[in-house]
Amino acid sequence: MPRWLPRAMVLALALVACFQLASWGFHQLITLLLNILIAFFLALAVEPAVDWMAARGMRRGLATGVVFLGTLVAAAGFFTLLGSMLAGQIATMVEEFPQYLDSVIKWVNSTFHTHLSRLEVQNNLLKSDWLRKYVQDSANNVLAVSATVLGSLFNLLTVALFSFYFAADGPRLRRALCSVLPPRRQTEVLRAWEIAVAKTGGYLYSRGLMAVISGIAHYVLLEILGVPYAPALGMWVGLVSQFIPTIGTYLAGALPILIAFTVNPWYALWVFGFVVVYQQFENYLLQPRITAKTVDIHPAVAFGSVVAGTALMGVVGALIAIPVTATLQAFLGAYVKRYEVTDDPRVHGGGRRRRGARMVARFRRTLHDEQPASPLKDYKESEGGGSHLDTGGTDSTGGTGSTGGTEDAGGDTGAGDVEGGRRGGSGEGRDDPRDGGDASGGAPGRR
């Protein structure tokens, strides 16, 4: 046995053990790491407001507390209004459920020629096996639901605590991070941090502005239709549609449509049509103008980032996918070298020209070439001594080429100028029967 083999085996076993230990620790701490990630981006979102207050003399910790207190009060007020709205509406729906059921059964009987009754439907519903099983499962899962609720509250407090420390001690955290890096790396880290703060804060504030506009628009519609709890429903639509990616629009529109249906089924149709029309208005007119200077990313890229974030980290990845993508795009844009785009119709969206268009362009060029030259233009060219290209044959410079030669003052483009060839240089020329001129020089002559 080689002397190095036992040591290599021990080293390999140690590496496997370390990998297993690290994997176990990562899976045990995955919830904490996700909470810290959410807290970091939440701190980046509120840092512009904290910096604005700190620049006006307020202590950074106090400014952070004021921002978080305002956010907490707003969230508590929203959920209080929403809870009261849902409780009152659920009570109303329970009281009027027999009337709704009678109207539905009447419509079914008249449409499908059946003979259903409300009592028969209620008895079948109450005595159904799936309802009994659902009630038993709900009773058995009371402890599990309670544990889930307590765990969610603990995670919420953890996120709030870490985000408070990240926002209050932002400068100290940056100094600690830069102290272990060389100066060049420090500049890049600070630039990336600044871009992340700008993009995350811009994403949050632009979404907040669009939530306000959406909430006001839906509130006006619901108030006109006479739907109850219009202010709370407007707030629900604005916040849910803007801060829950991809499916937020459908979740936001379902609740007001359902409540409008309890008032009048036609009102539900009006609300549904307004939600669809407003979504198109927001996607194509409102959102590009508001987010042009904050998180200007293509809608396809935003959708792909949300899908990728959801696949990687679930709901957390869906929430932070767009600001992370905007930050990476802005950071890489400072280091990616760009070139000037060529002036080609295919680049600007035009395809290759058709054969007819090419023939028309060729015919126009032919007509332009066959037009007689203007005497005034020839005089100016001869006075300026500019070169004139002749595709007809050999000229006075002794060239035999296809591009012609240089024309002397008062010369003729077809025949050449012997004197200009003598001034241009020495050499043996040759006669060309196509122009009838005599060349006496080989080197090009210019005036």
Side-chain angles (χ1 to χ4, degrees):
M1 179 183 296
R3 298 180 57 184
W4 55 267
L5 185 58
R7 186 178 301 175
M9 295 177 62
V10 172
L11 181 60
L13 293 176
L15 290 177
V16 172
C18 290
F19 175 76
Q20 294 292 335
L21 181 62
S23 178
W24 174 81
F26 178 78
H27 284 86
Q28 295 296 323
L29 298 176
I30 185 66
T31 303
L32 178 62
L33 295 177
L34 289 177
N35 291 334
I36 292 176
L37 183 62
I38 297 174
F40 177 71
F41 275 94
L42 184 60
L44 292 180
V46 302
E47 188 166 351
V50 175
D51 291 339
W52 183 81
M53 293 183 181
R56 282 155 179 79
M58 186 179 294
R59 295 180 56 186
R60 193 171 183 87
L62 181 60
T64 307
V66 169
V67 172
F68 274 85
L69 182 61
T71 305
L72 180 62
V73 170
F78 170 72
F79 284 109
T80 300
L81 290 175
L82 186 63
S84 62
M85 178 200 68
L86 290 178
Q89 200 64 32
I90 289 173
T92 304
M93 292 177 64
V94 170
E95 292 176 359
E96 298 180 356
F97 179 76
Q99 299 179 4
Y100 298 149
L101 188 59
D102 288 338
S103 62
V104 172
I105 291 175
K106 183 178 179 181
W107 179 81
V108 170
N109 290 333
S110 62
T111 303
F112 300 100
H113 305 288
T114 57
H115 301 282
L116 299 176
S117 63
R118 179 164 58 86
L119 295 177
E120 182 181 356
V121 173
Q122 287 180 352
N123 291 330
N124 292 332
L125 182 64
L126 294 176
K127 295 179 181 180
S128 59
D129 295 335
W130 67 268
L131 182 61
R132 294 178 181 178
K133 185 177 180 181
Y134 177 76
V135 173
Q136 292 176 358
D137 293 340
S138 300
N140 295 330
N141 293 332
V142 171
L143 295 177
V145 172
S146 301
T148 303
V149 171
L150 292 177
S152 301
L153 291 176
F154 178 76
N155 292 332
L156 183 62
L157 292 176
T158 303
V159 170
L161 181 64
F162 275 104
S163 59
F164 177 84
Y165 284 129
F166 285 153
D169 294 337
R172 185 183 304 176
L173 180 62
R174 287 192 288 270
R175 287 195 299 269
L177 183 61
C178 292
S179 63
V180 296
L181 298 173
R184 184 178 178 182
R185 298 298 180 187
Q186 292 179 14
T187 304
E188 295 179 357
V189 168
L190 293 177
R191 180 184 299 176
W193 192 293
E194 183 180 1
I195 292 174
V197 169
K199 294 300 179 180
T200 307
Y203 170 75
L204 180 64
Y205 300 143
S206 61
R207 288 291 173 177
L209 179 58
M210 288 192 295
V212 171
I213 298 174
S214 176
I216 292 175
H218 288 83
Y219 162 73
V220 171
L221 174 69
L222 297 175
E223 190 68 26
I224 292 175
L225 296 177
V227 178
Y229 303 102
L233 286 175
M235 294 175 59
W236 164 266
V237 173
L239 292 178
V240 174
S241 63
Q242 300 302 325
F243 290 99
I244 296 182
T246 308
I247 62 172
T249 302
Y250 309 103
L251 293 178
L255 184 60
I257 290 173
L258 178 62
I259 295 179
F261 183 81
T262 61
V263 178
N264 192 334
W266 289 105
Y267 289 174
L269 185 61
W270 279 101
V271 174
F272 174 75
F274 182 81
V275 168
V276 172
V277 173
Y278 181 82
Q279 187 65 29
Q280 303 305 315
F281 165 76
E282 180 182 283
N283 290 337
Y284 293 101
L285 294 178
L286 185 62
Q287 183 175 351
R289 286 169 172 77
I290 293 179
T291 61
K293 296 182 180 180
T294 55
V295 284
D296 188 15
I297 58 178
H298 195 273
V301 177
F303 179 75
S305 63
V306 170
V307 173
T310 305
L312 291 175
M313 293 183 292
V315 180
V316 177
L319 291 175
I320 66 175
I322 294 179
V324 169
T325 305
T327 302
L328 291 177
Q329 179 179 348
F331 184 72
L332 295 177
Y335 295 97
V336 176
K337 186 177 181 181
R338 297 183 181 272
Y339 299 92
E340 184 179 358
V341 181
T342 181
D343 190 9
D344 193 289
R346 291 169 292 183
V347 176
H348 300 289
R352 295 182 179 273
R353 294 187 298 179
R354 298 179 180 178
R355 183 177 179 182
R358 291 198 298 267
M359 292 178 63
V360 171
R362 188 180 302 171
F363 179 71
R364 289 178 178 177
R365 286 197 300 268
T366 304
L367 290 179
H368 179 73
D369 293 339
E370 290 180 355
Q371 289 180 357
S374 174
L376 181 60
K377 182 178 179 181
D378 293 340
Y379 173 75
K380 290 182 178 180
E381 290 181 353
S382 61
E383 287 293 331
S387 62
H388 185 79
L389 297 180
D390 184 6
T391 58
T394 309
D395 62 3
S396 61
T397 61
T400 62
S402 58
T403 61
T406 304
E407 179 192 4
D408 195 14
D412 205 9
T413 57
D417 189 352
V418 180
E419 183 67 19
R422 284 196 294 266
R423 283 198 302 267
S426 60
E428 293 183 0
R430 66 180 179 180
D431 297 335
D432 195 330
R434 289 176 294 181
D435 58 7
D438 187 4
S440 61
R446 290 185 181 270
R447 181 175 176 176

